[in-house]
Amino acid sequence: MERAQTEVCQSRAAGAFGKPKAPGSLRPHGGTGAGRRHRAHPGGSGPAGRAEMAAGGAEEQQQQQRRRLGRLSALSVYRRAAGAERLERRRRGTPLPAGGRRAKARPRRGAARGGGGHELAAPPPPSAAVPGRVERAEATPGSAEKKPPGGSAPSPGAPRVRAPVGSTEAKPPGGPAASSVGGGVPGLLRRLGLLEDSRRRAAELFRWLVAPVEPGEFAGRHWERAPLLVRRGDPEYYAGLFSTADFDAILRSGEVQFGTHLDVTSYAEGVRETHNPVGRALPAVVWDFYQNGCSLRLLNPQAFSTTVWHLLSILQEYFGSMAGANTYLTPPGTQGFAPHYDDIEAFVLQLEGKKHWRVYSPRTDTEVLPQFSSANLTQAELGKPVLEVVLEAGDLLYFPRGFIHQGDCLPDAHSLHITVSSYQRNSWGDLLEKLLPAALQMALEEDVDYRQGLPMGYLGYMGVANSDAADTRRTAFVEKLQRLMKKLRCSPSWIPGGLPARSLSSMAATIRFSPATRSLFDEPLGIAVQGLGPQQQVTLRASLRDEAGELFEAHGRYQATDDGELDLARCPALPGGSFSGLEPMGLLWALQPRKPFWRLVKKDVQTPFRLQLEVLEGHGDPPGQLLAQAEHERLFLREGVRRVPVREGRIRATLFLPPGEDLFPGIIDIDGFGGGLREYRASLLANHGFATLALAYYKYEDLSQAVTKLHLEYFEEAVNYMLQHPQVKGPGIGLLGFSKGAPRPLPARRAGRGLPNPAQPGPARPGRAERGGGARGRKRCGAMGQVAALSLRRLSARCWQRLLWPGPARIPGALPARSLSSMAATIRFSPATRSLFDEPLGIAVQGLGPQQQVTLRASLRDEAGELFEAHGRYQVADDGELDLARCPALPGGSFSGLEPMGLLWALQPRKPFWRLVKKDVQTPFRLQLEVLEGHGDPPGQLLAQAEHERLFLREGVRRVPVREGRIRATLFLPPGNGPFPGIIDLYGTGGGLPEYRACLLANYGFAVLALAFYGYEDLPKEMKEFHLEYFEEAINYMLKHTQVKGPGVGLLGFSKGGDLCLSMASFLKGITATAVINGSVANVGAVLRYKDITIPPLGADAKRIKINKSGIADIVDVLNNPLEGPNRRSFIPLEKAECRFFQPGALIVTLIKASRGPGRALSNPRAPRGGRRGRPQLSIEAAWRGRRPPGRYCRGRSGPATAAAVMWRAAAPLRALCRAPLPPPPAPAPRRGAVSVAVTPAAGLADERVDTRVAGLAAGQAVTLRAVVADERGCLFQSCAHYRADGRGQLHLGTDASHGGDYTGVEPMGLFWSLAPAGMERPYQRLVPRSTGTPMRVEVLVHQGHSGPGAIHGPVMAKAEVQRWFTAPGVRRIRLKEGSVRGSLFLPSGE
């Protein structure tokens, strides 16, 4: 994007535009129809309207001149085609009809990419005349001060309006801040600098800010109470503070980035939009946005303007709180932001031009002084404004937190104002939120009154039910509670910086998220709680509110481990909550609305969902007291993803583009019934590398309001738009539809050219036909019609893998690479040496050169010795580190894009059409990883290599061969005594006894029986005839097993095993749920018998077999239509089934309901009938969630028959792995000198408090403090915390707060009480000394930068050793061996 913008600017500078103009010489903004539309204000007719018409001739000539030059903007072309009559009315000055709304001012596509358009100009100075503008009456409601009857003072909620203060008498007398005249604001700041007292400087500056209102009057009548308007009539009052010329100079400085420093916004027709491109904000592009009606918001102007920084630094001391600022530049006749309220105290300083403001009181008590800002509000949600005024240069407007406000520019002038803000999260509640938990914890430790138990039988006289009863016991209970509350007071020791150290037995519970504060909505979230008691029972409750304010809740019951820690990735939820079992993400997927049948829908993808998590004591209903709480944001837009509204021709859509200038595979996303424009799915896909167009087709803007008639030409126009987009990869795009949006892709595909199958977006890869797909596979994918989803191969193996696991959170260990060069490159795995086959694997390489090009090659051999390989081409970051969770693979390898697990899912066999199958699940696959130099073919020399084991059996899972009666199977039981939910797993055509799927499910809490039914031991060798009595015997075996939970079992079948599962569910008892992968609703391949019932196999026609050029047989069309003639006898009578068919969380499927009644087929009434040879297209799209099955399938169709997707939710809890990305390497920080760490006392008792200080750091430098100790058996324990040095380069753990790591906040002893086992070998090991005569030696290290626990830390800057003794000098230890007494007696020193 930045490159494109630079090219455009260079062409303009060298071509028709001549040399760049200085800010002062830029022509005034003319506001012609070709640039943007204007708002028609009341009073637009009459002389002003005629003046506009008189100026119209000149404007028309300019417009024709631009048309001849071929420089009409795309926006003007669109507007001319969309509403010529409306434009003509605007040009004549005719006001809009009653109820009319102004057109939306949007940047044209060319402007967003830095190209096209007419001459760009900066906004006009305040004195510039703008021809053709409609004059607005200066008198506006609310501009004069209103007093209540009787002449009393205004009420606290009423705004205050001051008279103009243009004369000297009106200005405050005396003081250096009496006026800004004489040097403007810079001169005022220089005069204030002569005052030695900083508090006086701050008071004088604030007096100048609110003059002529006295600061005391302001604090008593307006601060946090009511708005204040100060009219000064002095346009030069803020002279020198900030100007449009300063804005332009900052843009030309080359340091302004879109999104980071500058926002481009618009608000029209009730829609607030952000139009930020990616990269540097070039002046030509920014002013082009401005000319097209967009507002410009410069974030933190103090970073660019010394004057603004100086002003805020002085005001900060007055407020006693952080002070910030934003500047807003708005074109005439436009509005940039929707109505909203903020969480800050706002001072609006009008610097140039005029702006029309409307301020509204808080609507409810909850909006008075809110803790957080609001979302965008609609005009219908607002009442009557308490203040409506036109703010002119030199004026001031103040409004407190919670007051709704909106500002729009008048058509005759632009507006430049700066908003000074303060008091964000600076309330009593925010302070008490930190102090009260600490004070209560101290009270529990020091005062026995707080630890006494509640009176026995108190529930008989307390509570709401007994509130009316007169009972002395109730009175005494309340009085005791009031006494305890009075005793609970905050002493100076509880001020941050004075918190006492917490011992191992009294530390407060803390919640840790991974990622820490925010994550993508589809990104796994790691949740852990520390500081609980051993084996303590707690309830975790999650809640969030949607945009309509509806509450969603879920809770899980847990028991902490022996070390007082609760990690949801390791600890299963106990029965009684919203879910049970090992569910790391259970608190999120189990969220249920309080309002019945309410759906969680996201409309504004630019704002996050806020997830609230509470830890409550016990398992009661309701649970006990609150132990800890935290908040986490779930985002819908990754940083850098661009949201581009599309209004070209008839298209009404939003395009989401991933970061960068590459070509991306394109998708059109169409929602279902309800209409409108749903963007959440498109934004999530864009986060993972897809250019996605969220397309509306009815009930949105000027589209049809009813879905009575749809024209495919509209969708064809959207397809052509995507195919012509410069950042969409051809030759085709993919379609994604939901509900009503699903049938659109099928006819659209037939009608549109260049449109691939909706199930397989993007161009075919080379060699697809040779792998079994080819054109035949693409043409036959009409079976995906009702879902119109992405292809199974691409979505499951790539996109879903990426959605489920973005990267590793910790690296418990680093494997040393075998380096063959002097760079000593090392490969890091997470987990370090071994992991489960379906567990995400983090891969990173360190020690490479900056921007070095390398090839990573992965390989493994199956049990037959066949080799599977994959490779990816990468470019190393500037710091020499390559993290596959952050660095995208470059084109030319087995895959490209950001694919953390690409080296695993892209493994291909050297022997064509060979599948990766695991027969012996007790042995692992050994993955070899090599780092090779360069991108050649073959690549260069070997830089590093490492090996990793991929296991199939978790430690403790039992494998039990079963040979009872006729049963030939293997039972896998999870660790523990159970009982566990039972599953019978049936494989497909090929026979034998594959166990890999059963053992993987057993790793997550299921008792799974892998059942063979032919081609194994003494079972039939061929698939000719099956008897359901054999499968009934297996069901009875599972139901009678002592470790299988009743009253029924679940069935999981693949291919032929799928239709056997459906037959079992139809005829046998004891089945509660069934899940089928790629199965059929008809009996296929063999005769099926049960008692006196016989179901023949579905007929086939061998003549329909096709042999492709590679000699591969295509059997897709072999089977007959089960709805025709005698083939109907092969249908499985699913209407007899008594079990449930659910959609599992582990599978992405189509749920097709069965029609009840004799002789009815399982079908979908809305599925397109016919297809090829008139067969119904009953389809399934199944994918392992976050992993590929161990069996590797050829690309294309993986099964011979169509399938009904009948799913079971109980098979869902496959592990949602919650790992954060690898921590970035520490950035080099400046050193002030030798860094030292001092821990005093260096030798002391184990329960004695120590004081830890670090000196010699740079101001604000980021460091990681780590403590390491080994017990007497050699087990390593460690802890770490993130800190930043103060302004003097010093760090004191007694006063400075930790920002992350194993704990947060001020914890003087945190490095010691948070010591935990290092690595994963012994996660439950406790640090217990056996010999009290030897000290525990703790090493404290200071590492450069911030790094997480278990990660590779930065360089060691300083270290110190501390000895922690368990016996003081002189204490005597006497062994006792008297009688049966065995012990040790410790006697203090002395007699």
Side-chain angles (χ1 to χ4, degrees):
M1 176 65 68
E2 185 171 336
R3 184 176 64 254
Q5 294 173 357
T6 304
E7 291 173 356
V8 171
C9 292
Q10 289 174 350
S11 67
R12 290 180 175 177
F17 293 90
K19 297 182 181 179
K21 301 179 181 181
S25 62
L26 294 174
R27 70 171 178 84
H29 177 67
T32 63
R36 57 180 172 77
R37 294 186 178 180
H38 313 307
R39 177 176 181 181
H41 287 272
S45 59
R50 290 192 295 272
E52 184 177 7
M53 293 176 59
E59 296 292 334
E60 184 65 20
Q61 293 177 4
Q62 295 177 8
Q63 187 173 0
Q64 292 175 359
Q65 177 67 18
R66 283 195 296 272
R67 189 182 302 113
R68 285 195 298 270
L69 294 175
R71 284 191 246 136
L72 269 178
S73 68
L75 182 65
S76 64
V77 174
Y78 157 68
R79 285 177 173 168
R80 284 156 52 86
E85 180 182 355
R86 192 178 184 92
L87 284 174
E88 186 65 25
R89 184 185 298 115
R90 298 279 187 179
R91 192 159 49 245
R92 293 197 308 264
T94 307
L96 287 172
R101 303 166 73 182
R102 61 173 172 168
K104 196 168 189 176
R106 303 181 186 279
R108 56 185 182 273
R109 291 181 60 211
R113 296 190 299 271
H118 46 274
E119 184 173 350
L120 308 178
S127 59
V130 182
R133 294 295 183 181
V134 180
E135 294 294 337
R136 181 184 179 91
E138 186 159 336
T140 56
S143 61
E145 184 176 357
K146 299 179 180 181
K147 296 183 180 181
S152 60
S155 61
R160 179 100 182 271
V161 183
R162 302 294 298 190
V165 285
S167 63
T168 307
E169 291 77 16
K171 296 179 182 178
S179 173
S180 63
V181 178
V185 176
L188 168 67
L189 296 176
R190 284 194 298 270
R191 292 193 297 274
L192 289 175
L194 301 176
L195 300 177
E196 295 183 358
D197 190 344
S198 61
R199 289 173 295 184
R200 186 183 172 194
R201 278 200 303 268
E204 290 294 337
L205 181 59
F206 186 76
R207 181 187 299 274
W208 167 85
L209 180 66
V210 299
V213 179
E214 289 295 326
E217 180 187 359
F218 172 82
R221 301 183 60 178
H222 298 282
W223 180 253
E224 295 186 338
R225 291 180 176 87
L228 170 67
L229 170 65
V230 177
R231 289 190 181 278
R232 295 193 172 97
D234 183 4
E236 300 299 321
Y237 194 80
Y238 302 122
L241 178 58
F242 198 84
S243 65
T244 304
D246 295 335
F247 201 116
D248 185 73
I250 291 172
L251 293 176
R252 299 182 187 278
S253 68
E255 299 177 357
V256 181
Q257 299 286 324
F258 281 113
T260 304
H261 308 117
L262 181 69
D263 284 334
V264 180
T265 67
S266 66
Y267 176 77
E269 299 180 359
V271 179
R272 153 76 163 85
E273 293 176 333
T274 301
H275 311 282
N276 290 340
V278 175
R280 178 190 162 192
L282 296 175
V285 177
V286 174
W287 295 127
D288 194 23
F289 273 121
Y290 177 86
Q291 281 194 314
N292 281 306
C294 293
S295 293
L296 308 178
R297 173 171 63 181
L298 183 63
L299 306 171
N300 299 320
Q302 62 269 27
F304 304 96
S305 169
T306 305
T307 305
V308 177
W309 174 85
H310 197 177
L311 178 86
L312 297 179
S313 65
I314 299 177
L315 287 176
Q316 250 176 201
E317 184 161 0
Y318 182 84
F319 292 124
S321 170
M322 298 292 290
N326 288 333
T327 58
Y328 301 82
L329 181 61
T330 309
T334 65
Q335 182 171 341
F337 294 85
H340 65 283
Y341 61 77
D342 294 316
D343 58 349
I344 49 95
E345 302 295 311
F347 296 84
V348 179
L349 283 62
Q350 188 70 29
L351 305 178
E352 295 177 6
K354 297 183 290 185
K355 198 162 194 176
H356 171 231
W357 285 90
R358 283 167 287 178
V359 182
Y360 309 80
S361 294
R363 298 170 296 177
T364 62
D365 291 342
T366 58
E367 294 182 357
V368 176
L369 303 180
Q371 204 173 9
F372 303 102
S373 298
S374 73
N376 293 331
L377 305 176
T378 64
Q379 300 294 338
E381 298 177 271
L382 308 179
K384 186 177 180 181
V386 297
L387 176 64
E388 184 171 4
V389 65
V390 174
L391 212 61
E392 299 183 355
D395 293 348
L396 169 74
L397 175 63
Y398 160 80
F399 43 83
R401 309 190 299 277
F403 274 74
I404 302 170
H405 53 278
Q406 61 176 325
D408 61 278
C409 248
L410 301 181
D412 59 346
H414 76 289
S415 170
L416 175 68
H417 76 266
I418 184 170
T419 298
V420 177
S421 60
S422 187
Y423 263 68
Q424 186 177 46
R425 300 298 303 273
N426 198 46
S427 65
W428 285 106
D430 295 311
L431 178 63
L432 292 175
E433 191 176 29
K434 304 294 184 183
L435 297 185
L436 282 180
L440 181 59
Q441 187 65 35
M442 175 61 88
L444 285 168
E445 294 174 3
E446 297 181 350
D447 195 335
V448 68
D449 286 350
Y450 290 90
R451 301 194 297 269
Q452 289 179 349
L454 295 173
M456 297 182 62
Y458 75 97
L459 294 177
Y461 53 85
M462 296 302 298
V464 178
N466 303 305
S467 58
D468 296 332
D471 194 319
T472 56
R473 295 174 300 173
R474 180 184 179 89
T475 304
F477 189 98
V478 174
E479 290 176 352
K480 176 66 178 290
L481 190 61
Q482 291 174 345
R483 286 198 304 272
L484 293 177
M485 294 295 291
K486 290 179 180 179
K487 291 173 65 176
L488 185 64
R489 59 171 57 94
C490 293
S491 64
S493 62
W494 291 108
I495 298 174
L499 295 179
R502 299 174 183 172
S503 67
L504 291 174
S505 61
S506 63
M507 56 185 176
T510 57
I511 300 173
R512 292 195 308 169
F513 291 114
S514 177
T517 57
R518 50 176 53 194
S519 58
L520 292 178
F521 186 77
D522 55 359
E523 181 179 0
L525 179 62
I527 301 174
V529 184
Q530 287 185 327
L532 300 172
Q535 300 294 326
Q536 183 177 359
Q537 291 186 337
V538 293
T539 298
L540 268 64
R541 183 167 64 196
S543 62
L544 64 80
R545 291 187 181 274
D546 65 4
E547 293 165 321
E550 295 296 334
L551 183 65
F552 290 74
E553 291 180 313
H555 71 281
R557 296 179 174 180
Y558 289 91
Q559 185 168 344
T561 58
D562 291 336
D563 57 359
E565 183 168 354
L566 176 61
D567 187 350
L568 270 61
R570 298 188 181 94
C571 300
L574 305 178
S578 303
F579 56 92
S580 62
L582 192 62
E583 294 288 354
M585 295 279 287
L587 287 172
L588 279 76
W589 64 251
L591 286 166
Q592 292 290 336
R594 279 195 177 178
K595 186 175 182 179
F597 309 111
W598 194 262
R599 292 180 59 190
L600 183 61
V601 177
K602 187 65 176 173
K603 294 182 180 179
D604 182 9
V605 297
Q606 299 180 90
T607 60
F609 275 140
R610 299 184 184 276
L611 178 70
Q612 303 285 341
L613 184 63
E614 298 172 313
V615 182
L616 304 162
E617 190 173 30
H619 290 168
D621 192 12
Q625 66 173 346
L626 181 66
L627 301 179
Q629 61 182 357
E631 183 179 86
H632 188 88
E633 290 186 349
R634 300 287 278 175
L635 309 174
F636 284 80
L637 281 180
R638 188 188 298 275
E639 185 176 355
V641 172
R642 293 158 287 172
R643 178 183 176 274
V644 183
V646 178
R647 302 295 185 274
E648 294 208 359
R650 295 177 296 174
I651 302 175
R652 300 296 178 265
T654 301
L655 177 63
F656 291 89
L657 292 172
E661 297 300 319
D662 299 332
L663 297 180
F664 307 103
I667 298 174
I668 294 181
D669 178 22
I670 307 175
D671 205 66
F673 287 102
L677 182 59
R678 302 286 176 85
E679 300 179 348
Y680 60 90
R681 194 168 51 206
S683 65
L684 293 176
L685 285 171
N687 294 336
H688 303 287
F690 294 92
T692 311
L693 183 76
L695 180 65
Y697 58 97
Y698 84 101
K699 216 170 185 179
Y700 183 73
E701 292 186 355
D702 56 350
L703 297 176
S704 172
Q705 296 302 308
V707 64
T708 56
K709 183 187 297 185
L710 297 174
H711 297 273
L712 280 181
E713 290 82 1
Y714 173 76
F715 301 96
E716 186 178 25
E717 188 175 347
V719 172
N720 294 332
Y721 169 81
M722 290 292 284
L723 292 175
Q724 294 170 9
H725 197 282
Q727 284 195 265
V728 174
K729 183 189 299 182
I733 57 168
L735 302 178
L736 175 61
F738 170 72
S739 183
K740 176 61 181 174
R744 295 304 100 210
L746 290 178
R749 184 169 63 90
R750 302 188 184 104
R753 295 184 177 180
L755 184 61
N757 191 297
Q760 297 187 1
R765 289 196 172 197
R768 173 178 291 198
E770 288 73 14
R771 291 194 293 267
R776 167 74 64 184
R778 293 195 296 275
K779 192 173 181 181
R780 283 288 299 153
C781 279
M784 305 301 298
Q786 195 59 22
V787 285
L790 298 174
S791 69
L792 165 66
R793 170 183 60 81
R794 189 161 191 167
L795 182 58
S796 65
R798 303 186 181 192
C799 186
W800 289 108
Q801 179 69 47
R802 194 182 322 162
L803 295 183
L804 279 177
W805 183 75
R810 298 184 177 184
I811 302 297
L815 292 182
R818 303 168 191 171
S819 175
L820 299 181
S821 69
S822 59
M823 296 182 65
T826 58
I827 300 173
R828 297 187 304 161
F829 290 114
S830 174
T833 57
R834 52 176 52 194
S835 59
L836 291 177
F837 186 84
D838 57 347
E839 183 179 5
L841 179 63
I843 301 174
V845 185
Q846 284 186 328
L848 300 171
Q851 300 295 323
Q852 182 178 0
Q853 292 185 338
V854 294
T855 299
L856 269 64
R857 184 168 63 195
S859 62
L860 63 81
R861 291 187 182 272
D862 66 1
E863 293 162 320
E866 293 297 331
L867 184 65
F868 290 75
E869 292 180 308
H871 72 280
R873 295 179 174 179
Y874 292 90
Q875 184 165 344
V876 184
D878 293 332
D879 54 7
E881 179 165 336
L882 175 62
D883 182 358
L884 269 62
R886 294 189 178 91
C887 299
L890 306 178
S894 304
F895 56 93
S896 62
L898 190 63
E899 298 287 355
M901 294 280 287
L903 288 171
L904 279 76
W905 63 251
L907 287 167
Q908 292 285 344
R910 279 197 177 178
K911 186 176 181 178
F913 310 113
W914 193 261
R915 292 176 60 187
L916 182 61
V917 177
K918 188 64 177 173
K919 296 181 179 179
D920 182 8
V921 298
Q922 299 180 88
T923 60
F925 276 142
R926 299 185 183 276
L927 179 71
Q928 303 285 340
L929 184 62
E930 300 170 307
V931 182
L932 304 161
E933 189 172 14
H935 289 168
D937 192 9
Q941 67 170 342
L942 180 67
L943 302 179
Q945 62 181 4
E947 183 179 279
H948 188 87
E949 292 184 352
R950 299 287 278 175
L951 309 175
F952 284 80
L953 281 179
R954 188 188 298 275
E955 184 178 356
V957 173
R958 294 159 286 171
R959 179 182 178 273
V960 183
V962 179
R963 302 294 185 274
E964 289 196 15
R966 295 179 295 172
I967 301 175
R968 300 296 178 262
T970 302
L971 178 63
F972 291 89
L973 294 172
N977 298 322
F980 310 102
I983 299 174
I984 295 179
D985 180 23
L986 299 179
Y987 202 70
T989 305
L993 184 57
E995 300 175 350
Y996 59 83
R997 191 168 56 204
C999 70
L1000 291 175
L1001 285 172
N1003 293 334
Y1004 301 103
F1006 294 91
V1008 189
L1009 183 74
L1011 181 64
F1013 53 93
Y1014 87 101
Y1016 184 73
E1017 293 186 355
D1018 56 352
L1019 295 175
K1021 301 302 181 184
E1022 296 179 1
M1023 190 173 65
K1024 293 183 178 180
E1025 184 176 290
F1026 295 119
H1027 295 269
L1028 281 182
E1029 287 83 356
Y1030 172 77
F1031 302 95
E1032 188 174 32
E1033 188 176 346
I1035 293 174
N1036 294 333
Y1037 169 81
M1038 289 290 284
L1039 292 176
K1040 294 177 182 178
H1041 200 284
T1042 57
Q1043 289 191 271
V1044 175
K1045 183 188 301 183
V1049 296
L1051 302 180
L1052 176 61
F1054 167 73
S1055 187
K1056 176 58 187 176
D1059 70 64
L1060 285 173
C1061 287
L1062 296 179
S1063 300
M1064 295 165 65
S1066 301
F1067 294 101
L1068 306 181
K1069 305 295 183 182
I1071 300 171
T1072 56
T1074 302
V1076 176
I1077 303 172
N1078 200 34
S1080 173
V1081 291
N1083 181 41
V1084 178
V1087 177
L1088 182 67
R1089 302 186 188 277
Y1090 181 62
K1091 297 180 180 179
D1092 58 346
I1093 301 173
T1094 300
I1095 300 180
L1098 184 63
D1101 187 357
K1103 295 180 181 179
R1104 292 198 289 264
I1105 298 178
K1106 298 177 180 62
I1107 307 298
N1108 64 17
K1109 295 180 181 180
S1110 301
I1112 304 300
D1114 181 357
I1115 61 173
V1116 170
D1117 299 318
V1118 169
L1119 295 177
N1120 294 332
N1121 188 350
L1123 297 180
E1124 295 177 355
N1127 295 305
R1128 296 179 63 88
R1129 294 186 301 161
S1130 302
F1131 251 96
I1132 301 169
L1134 268 179
E1135 64 270 24
K1136 297 181 181 181
E1138 298 178 357
C1139 66
R1140 297 180 296 170
F1141 299 93
F1142 283 94
Q1143 175 180 356
L1147 301 170
I1148 313 300
V1149 298
T1150 307
L1151 185 61
I1152 302 178
K1153 299 181 179 180
S1155 301
R1156 301 265 178 189
R1160 290 207 170 184
L1162 178 67
S1163 63
N1164 189 335
R1166 290 191 294 272
R1169 294 190 178 265
R1172 185 174 292 187
R1173 299 185 58 82
R1175 293 198 301 274
Q1177 305 298 310
L1178 308 179
S1179 64
I1180 174 174
E1181 176 168 348
W1184 287 82
R1185 186 172 190 177
R1187 63 186 188 192
R1188 293 186 67 83
R1192 181 141 186 105
Y1193 298 89
C1194 299
R1195 301 182 187 271
R1197 293 291 293 251
S1198 59
T1202 57
V1206 280
M1207 293 295 122
W1208 179 42
R1209 184 184 177 89
L1214 299 179
R1215 185 174 183 185
L1217 295 128
C1218 309
R1219 294 181 178 272
L1222 290 170
R1231 297 273 302 274
R1232 292 201 336 175
V1235 179
S1236 62
V1237 55
V1239 184
T1240 54
L1245 296 178
D1247 58 353
E1248 183 179 358
R1249 175 170 171 167
V1250 299
D1251 185 76
T1252 307
R1253 299 174 183 265
V1254 183
L1257 300 170
Q1261 182 174 356
V1263 294
T1264 297
L1265 265 65
R1266 186 162 67 103
V1268 181
V1269 63
D1271 64 7
E1272 295 161 336
R1273 290 168 292 184
C1275 293
L1276 193 66
F1277 293 76
Q1278 66 177 7
S1279 63
C1280 73
H1282 301 162
Y1283 287 92
R1284 285 194 179 274
D1286 60 17
R1288 298 171 298 174
Q1290 298 179 0
L1291 179 62
H1292 181 202
L1293 268 62
T1295 58
D1296 296 328
S1298 166
H1299 305 293
D1302 290 329
Y1303 59 90
T1304 57
V1306 179
E1307 297 287 353
M1309 295 287 290
L1311 286 173
F1312 294 87
W1313 61 252
S1314 63
L1315 284 165
M1320 301 299 297
E1321 289 77 10
R1322 298 181 180 179
Y1324 302 111
Q1325 185 73 24
R1326 298 180 64 185
L1327 183 58
V1328 178
R1330 295 186 176 182
S1331 173
T1332 59
T1334 58
M1336 181 172 62
R1337 302 179 184 275
V1338 183
E1339 191 174 29
V1340 179
L1341 302 99
V1342 181
H1343 294 270
Q1344 182 177 316
H1346 285 168
S1347 52
I1352 299 299
H1353 298 278
V1356 176
M1357 307 174 69
K1359 61 181 178 180
E1361 185 178 273
V1362 185
Q1363 295 184 5
R1364 307 288 282 173
W1365 292 85
F1366 291 89
T1367 55
V1371 172
R1372 293 162 290 168
R1373 176 176 177 267
I1374 304 173
R1375 292 183 179 273
L1376 296 180
K1377 292 185 179 179
E1378 296 186 6
S1380 59
V1381 177
R1382 297 294 183 269
S1384 296
L1385 176 64
F1386 290 87
L1387 294 175
S1389 58
E1391 300 298 327

